[in-house]
Amino acid sequence: MRDNFILWLAVIALMAGSVSSCAPIDSEYYTADDFQIVKKIDVHFHYETLDDRYLLLADSLNFKLVSPNVDAGRSINEQLEIATELKRKYPDKFAFFGTFGVDQFGTEDFAGSIVSRIDTCMAAGASGIKIWKNIGMTLKDGVGNYVMADDPAFATVFTYMEENKIRLLAHLGEPKNCWLPLEEMTLDNDRSYFSNNPQYHMYLHPEAPSYEDQIRARDNLLERYPGIPFTGAHLGSQEWSIDEVARTLDRFPAYDVEFSARIGHLQYQAITEPDKVRDFLIKYQDRIMYGTDVGVTARNNNYAATVRSLVKRWKDHFLWLATDAEVIVADLDGRSVKGLQLPKVVIDKIYFANAEKFFR
Ligand SMILES: [Zn+2]
């Protein structure tokens, strides 16, 4: 009798516990309603304004943001000032990657000045350093040769990062679509980006390094500096094939990836091989992170519209990854793709646990 009484107390306690959380505690999958309660980090969110409303909005949806400074657009000093201030104000909600410019390539103390720039960024609270596709795609040496990321001129820089265990976030190369004519590209957003940015549309620049050259330069870095904690932005520019991403992850233990701006490529592959994409995300659940590549600046003058499209994007991604809902994908000509319904444990890692290191 007494045992029964204790059992009933336990049942009542369990029921009380499950009332306060929205989902049944034993369910293996999240539902659309769980979007807000799931802890999330967007690891690739270009935050280029001191307007903190976007951060507070993200926080209200249980999102932390990681902003990579980038050697493009607004000056890298202004980007660092903004990031430093946001990090100071919101150390638990915001993190950032610093970066360096390459305009001084070929000058005497090129590498030394980058190392001191890295020190400045890290002292300001950076989680690591981002490098960008200008290295490999537009940077040239004094005699007009393209400079790749594995150029000896950067050796001192990467040795320094390896010795000090400074994380490298590398956006090197571009989607493979970049080397194809517009009409052969698989995704609408690639078509529109490269038609608006012909200087980066490598199909139009056959004299420039090939797609394979970009991947080789990246792999050379991973091989030469195995001690650098290395994150491949945008699926390491191997977005067109999860087999290729998997091969790189298998080959380099210190490497992980985030899929910002490339989720459409995962969805494209999931049209024909949904189980394969799902199995890939499950197999590499400890080494893949969620990101969008959304940017907010003081010039985003229509705050309401920016927020609407941001929240819709975040929710659509969650629906596709966490539930079995049909999700309409604008980048795929508006066709719908069935959600992968990844287990909760996988969602929690891809959305949060794998990126928590950026907040230490
Ligand atoms: Zn970006």
Side-chain angles (χ1 to χ4, degrees), residues 36 55 107 178 202 206 240 254 262 311 328:
Q36 195 159 353
L55 250 175
T107 58
C178 172
M202 289 297 125
W240 61 280
R262 304 292 182 263
V311 172
I328 291 172

Side-chain angles (χ1 to χ4, degrees), residues 1 25 38-39 54 65 78 84-85 94 149 152-153 197 209 296 316:
M1 180 64 198
I25 47 179
V38 173
K39 289 204 279 184
Y54 302 101
L65 303 178
E78 283 175 343
T84 305
E85 174 62 10
F94 178 84
N197 295 274
V296 291
D316 281 353

Side-chain angles (χ1 to χ4, degrees), residues 332-348:
L332 296 173
D333 269 332
R335 63 187 293 176
S336 83
V337 186
K338 192 175 163 64
L340 296 179
Q341 198 175 42
L342 293 165
K344 278 180 177 173
V345 53
V346 176
I347 290 293
D348 290 344

